[in-house]
């Protein structure tokens, strides 16, 4: 199943069961995938095929979600689905991750598997809400 289809299924799960007014972002390649006006949150969705106790976040996405939250007075959420559940991180309530540079695929969404250095951090699932 494609990454887009998995994200669409996660979006539908959230909209049906938790955030009734959830809407997709209108901007392609933004650092947030969807938002809720009712709950005043901007959300980046991530679906993972493998479960990890610490989930990776790119600094550029983290910084963009935090900046958007400050600008629009919203809650920055990073929602990860793994085979063991759906984990919701409220980034503004967490200590900023320790950042490191790793050589990673340029993108996980397309067939281009060239590697590039990316600044990343890890979020412990113990700091998330499990849906």
């Amino acid at each position: 199943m494609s990454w887009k289809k998995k994200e669409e299924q996660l979006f539908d799960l959230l909209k049906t069961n938790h955030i009734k007014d959830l809407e997709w972002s209108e901007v392609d390649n933004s650092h947030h995938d969807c938002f809720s006006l009712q709950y005043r949150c901007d959300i980046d969705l991530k679906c993972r095929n493998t479960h990890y106790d610490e989930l990776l976040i790119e600094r550029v996405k983290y910084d963009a979600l935090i900046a958007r939250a400050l600008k629009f007075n919203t809650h920055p959420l990073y929602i990860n689905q793994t085979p063991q559940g759906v984990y919701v991180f409220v980034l503004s309530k967490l200590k900023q991750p320790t950042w490191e540079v790793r050589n990673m695929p340029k993108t996980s969404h397309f067939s281009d598997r060239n590697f590039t250095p990316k600044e990343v951090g890890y979020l412990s699932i113990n700091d998330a809400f499990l849906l």
Side-chain angles (χ1 to χ4, degrees):
M1 179 181 308
S2 75
W3 68 270
K4 187 65 177 166
K5 187 71 172 161
K6 287 180 184 179
E7 280 188 2
E8 287 171 358
Q9 288 179 341
L10 177 55
F11 176 91
D12 292 342
L13 172 88
L14 294 169
K15 186 172 178 94
T16 300
N17 298 305
H18 302 285
I19 308 171
K20 303 292 184 199
D21 76 322
L22 194 61
E23 296 292 334
W24 285 108
S25 170
E26 295 175 4
V27 179
D28 286 340
N29 298 324
S30 71
H31 293 294
H32 72 290
D33 295 312
C34 49
F35 63 93
S36 164
L37 294 176
Q38 179 182 356
Y39 295 105
R40 292 183 13 258
C41 60
D42 293 305
I43 304 168
D44 185 56
L45 301 175
K46 198 62 68 187
C47 297
R48 309 208 181 264
N49 294 326
T50 305
H51 177 81
Y52 300 97
D53 290 337
E54 291 188 324
L55 298 172
L56 181 137
I57 186 168
E58 291 181 41
R59 184 163 193 175
V60 68
K61 289 186 179 194
Y62 177 93
D63 287 347
L65 280 165
I66 294 295
R68 185 171 171 80
L70 292 171
K71 182 176 181 178
F72 296 107
N73 193 28
T74 58
H75 305 286
L77 303 182
Y78 187 57
I79 300 180
N80 279 246
Q81 183 176 38
T82 79
Q84 293 187 19
V86 177
Y87 298 88
V88 179
F89 296 92
V90 182
L91 297 179
S92 58
K93 303 233 183 240
L94 301 178
K95 181 181 168 198
Q96 188 173 135
T98 301
W99 303 107
E100 63 184 61
V101 176
R102 295 191 59 187
N103 234 6
M104 304 197 56
K106 252 185 177 174
T107 176
S108 58
H109 302 308
F110 307 106
S111 60
D112 179 3
R113 299 302 286 177
N114 292 317
F115 282 71
T116 188
K118 291 185 180 183
E119 197 168 9
V120 299
Y122 296 89
L123 302 171
S124 171
I125 61 169
N126 295 325
D127 294 329
F129 298 98
L130 182 61
L131 293 183

